[in-house]
């Protein structure tokens, strides 16, 4: 099989590419290297078994010609190319909205033209400001005002979902929507805000761990290889198109407890530094205080459940960061 992955040089995309290469498939990547990097796929390009089956096209999904060419020759498409990370989105608001809205429209239009099955990665951000748990795919959505730019990301991802569902309903495009909750693992960078690589890097260099706000905000974390299993299981399932699925871990932890856990696990001398949101971000920043997925829907359809608990995820990432 030929698999096209937009954003395949990104953190999650590169793990997905590896999975399909291991299965014996050919992997085609379109990536503009805005947040992705060739380092993420170097080990695949240098691997004797994989190197003749991985092809990278460095371009943006905003230009249609590589999309047309590659979608035409591939069997399935995973659309992962998007703006990522709260910090990146706040710094690049126009670019982020454009890539999410216009880029996704290009992918949808091209997949519809060639009648190719498509999986679009959305985000738990679309749920907005809920405090209840678990978050279900059928829940209402609550956003802050448009002056608070964080919500532009949520709104653009939600538009992607509406567009994908519209293509499914009107022209029968087989599109699956995966709402990814905080995904972590080797090769994820802390440069765009992601908390686990940031905390581990700070702990390993004995610098203060920067906890934003009160630290009582909570998250669940999913190991990237578990996420990849969920994505491939959905793509293989004939009943998944036209549906939205949460993919995430269920072990909730506050950010302050996470900081303490990481200090303990790394044996670090780091202290914890509480930083008000106004100092960490621009004045209009608003955090999501809680984010726990309900995963019954994907479990019922595919049997998927995350296998890697938080302690193990942290051990893998600490080990990876120590080596690299
Ligand atoms: N966070 C933090 N310190 C950091 C980076 C992040 O306290 O150095 C917090 C952030 O405010 C949020 C949580 O960790 O409450 C998760 O942040 P991340 O950017 O990883 O993902 P999000 O869930 O916000 O998209």
């Amino acid at each position: 099989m030929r698999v096209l992955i937009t954003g395949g040089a990104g953190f999650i995309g590169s793990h997905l590419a590896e999975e399909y290469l291991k299965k014996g498939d050919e992997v085609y990547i379109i990536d503009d290297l805005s947040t992705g990097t060739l380092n993420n796929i170097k080990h695949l390009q240098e691997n004797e078994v994989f190197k003749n089956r991985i092809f990278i096209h460095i371009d943006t999904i905003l230009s249609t010609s590589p999309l047309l060419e590659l979608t035409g020759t591939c069997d399935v498409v995973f659309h992962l190319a998007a703006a990522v990370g709260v910090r990146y989105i706040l710094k690049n608001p126009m670019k982020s909205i454009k890539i999410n809205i216009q880029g996704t429209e290009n992918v949808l239009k091209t997949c519809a033209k060639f009648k190719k099955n498509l999986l679009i990665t959305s985000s738990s951000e679309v749920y907005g400001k809920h405090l209840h748990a678990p978050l279900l795919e059928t829940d209402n959505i609550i956003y802050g005002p448009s002056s608070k730019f964080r919500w532009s990301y949520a709104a653009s991802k939600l538009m992607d979902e509406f567009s994908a569902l519209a293509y499914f309903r009107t022209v029968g495009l087989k599109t699956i929507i995966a709402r990814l909750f905080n995904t972590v693992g080797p090769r994820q960078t802390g440069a765009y805000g992601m908390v686990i690589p940031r905390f581990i890097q700070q702990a390993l260099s004995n610098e203060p761990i920067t906890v934003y706000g009160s630290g009582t905000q909570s998250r669940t974390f999913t190991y990237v290889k578990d996420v990849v299993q969920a994505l491939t299981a959905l793509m293989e399932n004939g009943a998944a198109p036209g549906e939205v699925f949460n993919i995430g871990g269920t072990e909730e932890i506050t950010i302050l407890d996470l900081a303490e856990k990481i200090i303990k696990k790394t044996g670090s001398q780091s202290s914890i530094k509480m930083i008000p949101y106004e100092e960490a971000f621009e004045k209009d920043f608003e955090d999501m205080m809680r984010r726990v997925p309900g995963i019954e829907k994907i479990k019922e359809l595919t049997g998927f459940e995350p296998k890697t608990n938080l302690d193990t995820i942290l051990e893998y990432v600490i080990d990876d960061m120590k080596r690299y």
Side-chain angles (χ1 to χ4, degrees), residues 86 125 150 182 193-195 198-199 202 210-212 217 219 255 277 281 285 287-288 291:
V86 174
E125 283 272 330
R150 179 192 192 126
N182 298 58
M194 279 71 168
V195 67
R198 282 174 67 82
F199 281 6
Q202 289 164 343
T210 54
V211 172
Y212 301 154
Q217 70 272 34
R219 295 290 185 273
I255 298 302
Y277 286 122
F281 299 99
F285 179 76
D287 204 355
M288 291 178 73
R291 208 192 243 171

